């Protein structure tokens, strides 16, 4: 990657950071005025009740920042750096635009869920079946788009390239459904989901640069900058929550980066925290049913277990972030395995 492209990555990330930080300053008071406050569920830790009324739908901050900066960089790229930004394969460009649309659709599902919770005063928002149907629909559309574009080849560590053919479609849909829901479950402690996701995005910036997928790296860099700007307002004590609007958008972006670089299996180590959160919920529910009311954890997702064990929110974010860093290091080692 030449210096101009590196400069574009850095400039895009910085611009996204500044825009997200400024949008937070403007949008948070607006969300207050609109009374878009988070409703805290009774099942959560009792001290979370103090967060009642904190604005939600804050994911709009990094969604808007990401889209605006990416659009600006792409426009400037077409005008001034066409030979650098447009010389990549058509498939790569398809993966970028399809991936961004996937993330926006996932964020749209989350926005609808948040809207029902906040405006319609239905604490649970969309039902699980409604949310899953929408996610499967969006995931299928994305998978079909890549399939028709010829993007069914993935890299398998220690094996090499595998053309999945028609099997790519159900595999892709499964990864998207699992990934978006796992990220959604991770959003429950101030700054946790945003920090873990920021680290995951940095991995994809590095990975995309090493394998020569500049536009995927640009998408990851801009999104990382947007998340960093959002974290200015979301770290403990949070002044705004991302809501399902933000967490589902993050899940969509990470899945898009995984498939966009042709390495969705690397989402496993770099997304180890998300998968652990999802697994803790599955294990808790299964154990509860099998033992007729006994619990495996004090509360799930597992970050609540550590809260009830006396961990502070900042400690949880720090430890989970270090685990994500370790997962990112493993993913980097597997990049050329």
């Amino acid at each position: 990657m030449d210096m101009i492209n590196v400069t574009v990555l850095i400039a895009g990330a910085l611009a996204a950071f500044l825009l997200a930080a400024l949008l937070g300053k403007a949008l948070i008071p607006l969300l207050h005025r609109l009374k878009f406050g988070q409703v805290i569920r009774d099942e959560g830790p009792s001290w979370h009740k103090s967060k009642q009324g904190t604005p939600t739908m804050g994911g709009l901050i990094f969604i808007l920042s990401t889209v605006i900066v990416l659009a600006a960089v792409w426009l400037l790229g077409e005008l001034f750096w066409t030979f650098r930004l447009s010389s990549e394969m058509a498939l790569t460009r398809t993966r970028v635009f399809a991936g961004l649309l996937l993330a926006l659709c996932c964020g749209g599902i989350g926005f609808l869920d948040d809207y029902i919770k906040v405006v319609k005063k239905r604490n649970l928002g969309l039902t699980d079946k409604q949310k899953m149907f929408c996610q499967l629909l969006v995931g299928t559309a994305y998978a079909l788009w890549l399939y028709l574009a010829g993007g069914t080849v993935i890299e398998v560590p220690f094996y090499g390239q595998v053309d999945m053919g028609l099997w790519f479609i159900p595999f892709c849909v499964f990864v998207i459904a699992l990934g978006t829901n796992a990220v959604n479950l991770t959003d429950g402690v101030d700054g946790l989901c945003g920090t873990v996701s920021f680290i995951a995005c940095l991995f994809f910036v590095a990975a995309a640069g090493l394998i020569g997928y500049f536009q995927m790296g640009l998408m990851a860099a801009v999104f990382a900058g947007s998340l960093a700007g959002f974290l200015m307002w979301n770290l403990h004590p949070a002044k705004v929550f991302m809501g399902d609007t933000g967490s589902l958008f993050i899940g969509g972006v990470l899945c898009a980066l995984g498939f966009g670089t042709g390495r969705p299996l690397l989402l496993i180590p770099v997304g180890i925290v998300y998968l652990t959160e999802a697994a803790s919920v599955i294990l808790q529910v299964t154990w509860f049913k099998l033992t007729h009311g006994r619990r495996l954890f004090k509360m799930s997702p597992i970050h609540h277990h550590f809260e009830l064990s006396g961990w502070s929110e900042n400690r949880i974010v720090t430890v989970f972030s270090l685990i994500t860093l370790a997962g990112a290091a493993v993913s980097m080692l597997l990049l050329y395995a």
Side-chain angles (χ1 to χ4, degrees):
M1 189 181 296
D2 61 36
M3 285 304 300
I4 292 182
N5 283 347
V6 172
T7 302
V8 171
L9 288 181
I10 296 173
L14 288 175
F17 167 76
L18 292 172
L19 181 56
L22 291 173
L23 282 172
K25 190 173 182 62
L27 283 179
I28 292 173
L30 175 62
L31 293 172
H32 269 296
R33 289 196 297 271
L34 293 174
K35 301 186 185 302
F36 282 7
Q38 178 71 46
V39 178
I40 304 299
R41 297 174 63 176
D42 294 332
E43 305 92 277
S46 58
W47 52 88
H48 279 205
K49 283 294 183 181
S50 63
K51 302 181 181 186
Q52 184 90 11
T54 301
T56 189
M57 297 191 192
L60 291 170
I61 293 170
F62 54 75
I63 293 173
L64 290 172
S65 174
T66 299
V67 172
I68 291 171
V69 173
L70 277 178
V73 174
W74 281 332
L75 178 60
L76 290 172
E78 292 298 330
L79 293 174
F80 301 106
W81 306 301
T82 304
F83 68 99
R84 289 183 174 85
L85 294 183
S86 299
S87 60
E88 296 181 29
M89 297 183 301
L91 175 58
T92 301
R93 293 172 65 84
T94 297
R95 284 171 166 169
V96 171
F97 292 114
L100 183 58
L101 186 58
L102 167 68
L104 288 171
C105 288
C106 290
I109 296 169
F111 180 84
L112 180 60
D113 189 47
D114 287 334
Y115 181 84
I116 292 171
K117 291 176 186 175
V118 174
V119 179
K120 299 298 183 181
K121 306 302 180 184
R122 279 173 45 193
N123 192 28
L124 296 178
L126 292 171
T127 66
D128 290 339
K129 289 183 179 179
Q130 289 171 334
K131 190 181 295 186
M132 181 57 70
F133 173 79
C134 292
Q135 290 170 320
L136 292 176
L137 187 65
V138 169
T140 300
Y142 173 78
L144 282 171
W145 192 347
L146 291 193
Y147 174 78
L148 294 174
T152 59
V153 177
I154 67 170
E155 286 281 344
V156 178
F158 304 108
Y159 185 84
Q161 292 189 338
V162 174
D163 189 343
M164 299 190 69
L166 272 173
W167 287 105
F168 176 82
I169 296 174
F171 171 71
C172 185
V173 174
F174 171 77
V175 171
I176 291 170
L178 174 61
T180 52
N181 282 297
V183 173
N184 182 238
L185 290 170
T186 306
D187 180 33
V189 170
D190 293 355
L192 176 59
C193 188
T195 304
V196 168
S197 302
F198 172 75
I199 295 169
C201 283
L202 290 184
F203 159 73
F204 279 109
V205 174
L210 288 172
I211 61 179
Y213 282 30
F214 171 73
Q215 292 200 39
M216 297 309 305
L218 175 63
M219 183 176 177
V222 169
F223 188 52
S226 297
L227 284 174
F230 171 74
L231 284 169
M232 299 288 291
W233 307 101
N234 183 242
L235 290 174
H236 185 71
K239 297 177 178 62
V240 67
F241 299 139
M242 67 174 65
D244 284 8
T245 304
S247 59
L248 292 182
F249 180 83
I250 291 174
V253 169
L254 291 176
C255 289
L257 291 173
F259 284 103
T261 55
R263 289 161 172 80
L265 295 180
L266 295 186
L267 289 169
I268 297 173
V270 77
I272 187 63
V273 166
Y274 308 127
L275 295 177
T276 302
E277 297 273 17
S280 70
V281 174
I282 295 170
L283 289 171
Q284 181 86 319
V285 172
T286 303
W287 186 254
F288 188 86
K289 290 180 178 179
L290 289 175
T291 59
H292 306 288
R294 294 179 62 185
R295 297 178 185 274
L296 191 60
F297 306 105
K298 293 180 179 180
M299 186 177 292
S300 67
I302 201 167
H303 57 258
H304 288 321
H305 170 82
F306 288 111
E307 272 194 286
L308 293 175
S309 298
W311 287 28
S312 68
E313 295 190 46
N314 287 335
R315 183 182 181 186
I316 292 170
V317 171
T318 300
V319 172
F320 282 34
S321 297
L322 290 174
I323 293 171
T324 303
L325 275 173
V330 172
S331 292
M332 191 61 70
L333 291 174
L334 294 175
L335 191 63
Y336 288 109

